Amino acid sequence: MDLLRRYVRLLLITLSARRGPRLDPLGISRINGRVWPTDIDEFRHVNNGVYLSLLDHARLDLLERSGLWSRIRAAGVYPVVSMQTVSYRKSLKLGQRYVIETRIAGFDERSVFIEQRFVVAGEIYVRAYVVGRFLRERGGVVSMGELAEITGVDIASVPVPAWLADWAEASRLPSTRDDAPSEWQPLGS
């Protein structure tokens, strides 16, 4: 059921994005949604993992409607999430309508930062910050300079807010080329 839910929504969002109005890459994408029975967990509200899947789809809408998706795919590049944080304010319930708003929050020397919100009647229910990188299909990480060339976006014009950069630095794991042993520190240290 989970795969069906994911791919049906992905198809609907992709078709809607291709038919919908064009969007500036630095604009705000808005997609409408409704809570399906398969989104609900045993506590009768949207499961936290479902929110993350829906945010994936909303980022695709931004990429499709801005024309960036076709450019990055033609360049043999694809996006990946490297970190994210989500704050839940109110629960979404079965049948409830919502809008997911998505925009680029900024760029640093290695990543794209995205802000996303679940909004009901103009009120934020859930907010997420997502940090993404772009990888080459043939292997390797795409530099931000190369990403700027591929997309035509002036990356320098949208720096990451300082607090968001601080959070990302504090949350970052070591590079995949470095060791990252699972060593727990004693509590309280």
Side-chain angles (χ1 to χ4, degrees):
M1 185 62 82
D2 200 43
L3 275 176
L4 179 63
R5 174 187 70 216
R6 180 164 175 76
Y7 287 108
V8 166
R9 275 194 171 127
L10 189 59
L11 177 64
L12 293 173
I13 286 170
T14 301
L15 291 174
S16 175
R18 289 181 181 164
R19 294 183 188 144
R22 294 290 86 186
L23 182 65
D24 183 287
L26 300 177
I28 299 171
S29 160
R30 289 180 175 87
I31 61 170
N32 297 311
R34 181 185 287 250
V35 178
W36 293 0
T38 54
D39 299 333
I40 302 299
D41 64 17
E42 59 276 9
F43 300 111
R44 296 189 309 271
H45 60 215
V46 173
N47 177 276
N48 61 319
V50 170
Y51 283 105
L52 299 179
S53 293
L54 294 172
L55 293 174
D56 284 344
H57 295 158
R59 289 190 300 276
L60 180 60
D61 178 74
L62 174 64
L63 288 170
E64 282 274 10
R65 290 185 39 224
S66 66
L68 296 180
W69 186 244
S70 60
R71 290 185 217 160
I72 64 172
R73 298 305 297 142
V77 170
Y78 63 96
V80 294
V81 171
S82 60
M83 68 179 79
Q84 60 193 343
T85 185
V86 183
S87 298
Y88 302 94
R89 187 172 162 270
K90 288 187 173 184
S91 296
L92 290 173
K93 309 280 186 189
L94 181 62
Q96 192 168 18
R97 292 184 180 275
Y98 57 84
V99 176
I100 303 175
E101 299 177 341
T102 303
R103 74 169 184 179
I104 294 174
F107 301 89
D108 69 7
E109 66 281 350
R110 54 193 284 167
S111 303
V112 178
F113 291 71
I114 299 168
E115 179 178 354
Q116 296 185 277
R117 303 171 178 180
F118 283 82
V119 177
V120 175
E123 183 179 6
I124 298 172
Y125 273 46
V126 174
R127 182 176 60 203
Y129 290 96
V130 180
V131 181
R133 306 282 311 269
F134 286 82
L135 304 178
R136 288 185 190 84
E137 289 176 355
R138 65 182 188 276
V141 178
V142 176
S143 73
M144 295 310 287
E146 185 180 353
L147 184 65
E149 288 177 25
I150 292 168
T151 63
V153 174
D154 180 9
I155 289 172
S157 71
V158 189
V160 177
W163 71 268
L164 193 52
D166 291 345
W167 163 79
E169 187 57 37
S171 302
R172 190 168 279 125
L173 288 170
S175 165
T176 56
R177 294 179 299 278
D178 298 331
D179 290 335
S182 179
E183 297 171 354
W184 292 90
Q185 300 300 316
L187 294 175
S189 60

